[in-house]
Amino acid sequence: MGEGISDYTKFCIDLRRHMWMAGVEMELRRLIWQIAVTGKYISAKIHESNRKLAGFKNMYGEEQLALDKSSDAILKNQLQFSGFVREYASEEQDRIIQIGQGQEKYFVTADPLDGSSLVDTNLAIGTIIGIHNGTMYGKGRETMVAALYITYGPLITMVYSAGKGTHEFVLNREGEYVLSQENIRLREKGDIYSLGGLRRDWTPGHLRFVTDLEAAGYKLRYSGGFVPDINQVLIKNGGVFTYPALRKSPQGKLRLLFELLPMAFLIEQAGGEATDGIRRILDIPVEEIGQRSPIYIGSRYEVEMARRYLEEVEK
Ligand code: AFP
């Protein structure tokens, strides 16, 4: 290992070396590496973006920036030539795309550019990836073998887990992902909270949960971008993010396959929890690609606290 890396990186641990040392299986290692490299191309696209709307809508009826489309195309094209991916499902596509020959074991899900509505504001945005073995339907705990996200902010960072802890890398000026935090661990109890949805639409149990967090002095941290908001909980080693069931949309807003499963995998690998309020996210069967679910994710204490409130107040 280590071939082709710069003198600078010889003194650091780069992504390839880390995965090799962690014993990640060869094909999975190459796939994760290729996706991380694709993040560099997406980041270049973001920089050259002219911020104009493409003027069409995706399958969920949302405005779609040209940037979403091009990030999706970049990812799909890169994965097509990996030789390891059978099917690709993206939040920007209305169906699963067969990109392999039929015998490859990996199925990749992508939210190619989550939070793209934040591009104009210059807040951080991100790419979310799930990697499944054999199928992407069924329970995530049975199908998922890895997950990662890339943040495009003041720094480009990549957080991955292949089931052996959750690790963060930073893209350095030489274009290499170098290890910045190995085995990130969430504290049992945090002190920040991040809340999606409007207060007037919350259910009584959720409202009581939030009221008690506020009374206990939790600090509000919400950017409206799922990747940086989860990243904050992870990198600050604790706290909770929720996008709850709302009165008019009991399944919340966020998508199980593209957004919630990868983040649940990463947070659990860091010692945290992720539920829909009651059930573990990795135990919710994926039945269709556009499926949504409420989410409570982060430190164990807050996620368990939410479960108690939802069970007591809403039964
Ligand atoms: P977009 O996909 O429309 O940019 O939505 C971003 C997002 O999916 C996720 O990144 C945020 O956590 C969530 O929506 C924010 O939703 P609200 O605007 O309702 O707070």
Side-chain angles (χ1 to χ4, degrees), residues 62 91 111 113-118 195-197 222 224-227 229 241 243 253-255 259:
E62 299 160 335
E91 204 183 66
D111 186 347
L113 203 59
D114 185 79
S116 54
S117 58
L118 298 174
L195 307 167
Y222 189 72
F226 189 45
V227 177
D229 286 338
F241 173 97
Y243 207 110
K253 176 180 182 187
L254 302 178
R255 281 132 204 155
E259 292 161 314

Side-chain angles (χ1 to χ4, degrees), residues 1-6 9-10 14 16-17 33 176:
M1 288 303 291
E3 257 173 59
I5 59 177
S6 70
T9 307
K10 277 180 194 152
D14 85 326
R16 280 174 299 178
R17 197 183 309 179
W33 170 251
E176 294 151 345

Side-chain angles (χ1 to χ4, degrees), residues 285-300:
V286 175
E287 280 150 9
E288 44 115 5
I289 65 167
Q291 200 170 327
R292 298 173 197 254
S293 167
I295 186 161
Y296 292 78
I297 182 168
S299 292
R300 283 176 186 276

Side-chain angles (χ1 to χ4, degrees), residues 6-52:
S6 70
D7 284 348
Y8 176 79
T9 307
K10 277 180 194 152
F11 301 103
C12 308
I13 296 181
D14 85 326
L15 176 60
R16 280 174 299 178
R17 197 183 309 179
H18 184 268
M19 289 192 286
W20 178 75
M21 287 182 341
V24 179
E25 183 258 325
M26 193 261 289
E27 286 191 2
L28 189 54
R29 233 161 55 208
R30 289 198 179 165
L31 180 55
I32 292 172
W33 170 251
Q34 186 160 30
I35 294 168
V37 170
T38 306
K40 296 192 216 176
Y41 306 145
I42 294 178
S43 142
K45 209 66 199 163
I46 296 168
H47 281 281
E48 74 188 33
S49 127
N50 62 11
R51 300 179 173 193
K52 282 186 188 151

Side-chain angles (χ1 to χ4, degrees), residues 87 96 132 135-140 143 257 285-289:
E87 289 180 5
I96 296 175
H132 301 246
T135 175
M136 54 182 95
Y137 289 110
K139 295 177 179 170
T143 62
L257 190 60
V286 175
E287 280 150 9
E288 44 115 5
I289 65 167

